[in-house]
Amino acid sequence: MYSIGVTVDGFIKDREGRFDWGGPDDEQFRAHLAEVGSLGAYLCGRRLYEEMLVWETDQSLRATEDRAAFADVWCALPKVVFSRTLQTVQGNARIARGTVAEEVARAADETDRDLSIGGADLAGQAFELGLVDELRVFRYPLVVGGGTPHLPPVSDRVRFALTETRTFGGGVVYERYRRASDSSDSD
């Protein structure tokens, strides 16, 4: 699964590399908590790993019951970090030593729960390998006009079927898609 917060025009970060527009309201935060709590492992790149590390190190983020619960779930979740520069990682994380396909297979062998891939570059590689079966998009009602796209270009068309939508406070629309079978591709 690839779950991501994105602007209406398809960016996860603006041209300055900011994503401060993506803070969830309480209801949306609880949805993220439920999603992360259902996972068996999380595969991510170095930048996302470093951004999320605060949940393991900053006690001030545990100020509410929901945030403390998220920190607990995040800390317990096995993480696989793809990095060419990190030598060590903290908490329940390990550095990926294999290819994306090998690491996804290894993580899948270690759990019977869903896996999530975080980060546009890593998700793009997983798309190219046919490893993404589900998209979960939190679409923010904002246009930033450029930045980091939520997916890099992929070489082949990949069809998905919309299976769920939900609207959160502030106009954030959640869209859940499952990969469509190849037989539905008539183009």
Side-chain angles (χ1 to χ4, degrees), residues 77-142:
L77 181 65
K79 290 167 276 301
V80 180
V81 182
F82 289 79
S83 174
R84 289 183 285 279
T85 58
L86 290 178
Q87 298 302 312
T88 62
V89 289
Q90 298 179 33
N92 195 10
R94 66 175 176 80
I95 296 176
R97 300 293 179 210
T99 65
V100 173
E102 291 167 342
E103 293 294 345
V104 167
R106 178 178 171 187
D109 285 345
E110 294 172 353
T111 185
D112 59 353
R113 301 169 88 184
D114 287 336
L115 306 177
S116 187
I117 294 179
D121 290 338
L122 188 58
Q125 292 175 53
F127 264 92
E128 288 291 335
L129 296 168
L131 299 173
V132 177
D133 328 5
E134 187 170 316
L135 293 172
R136 296 182 181 183
V137 179
F138 292 85
R139 194 168 305 280
Y140 286 79
L142 174 71

Side-chain angles (χ1 to χ4, degrees), residues 8-96:
V8 170
D9 55 344
F11 296 97
I12 59 174
K13 291 184 180 179
D14 67 17
R15 285 175 273 208
E16 287 77 41
R18 294 187 322 242
F19 59 96
D20 53 351
W21 44 266
D25 66 7
D26 290 342
E27 179 187 19
Q28 185 182 346
F29 189 86
R30 285 188 294 277
H32 286 296
L33 171 58
E35 180 179 297
V36 172
S38 73
L39 297 175
Y42 192 83
L43 295 86
C44 61
R46 178 194 54 82
R47 287 186 300 263
L48 186 55
Y49 163 76
E50 289 174 339
E51 288 168 2
M52 294 298 291
L53 192 56
V54 296
W55 287 101
E56 301 192 36
T57 60
D58 187 346
Q59 293 300 309
S60 71
L61 293 177
R62 295 175 168 271
T64 69
E65 186 177 322
D66 285 342
R67 293 186 182 275
F70 183 86
D72 289 344
V73 166
W74 183 256
C75 288
L77 181 65
K79 290 167 276 301
V80 180
V81 182
F82 289 79
S83 174
R84 289 183 285 279
T85 58
L86 290 178
Q87 298 302 312
T88 62
V89 289
Q90 298 179 33
N92 195 10
R94 66 175 176 80
I95 296 176

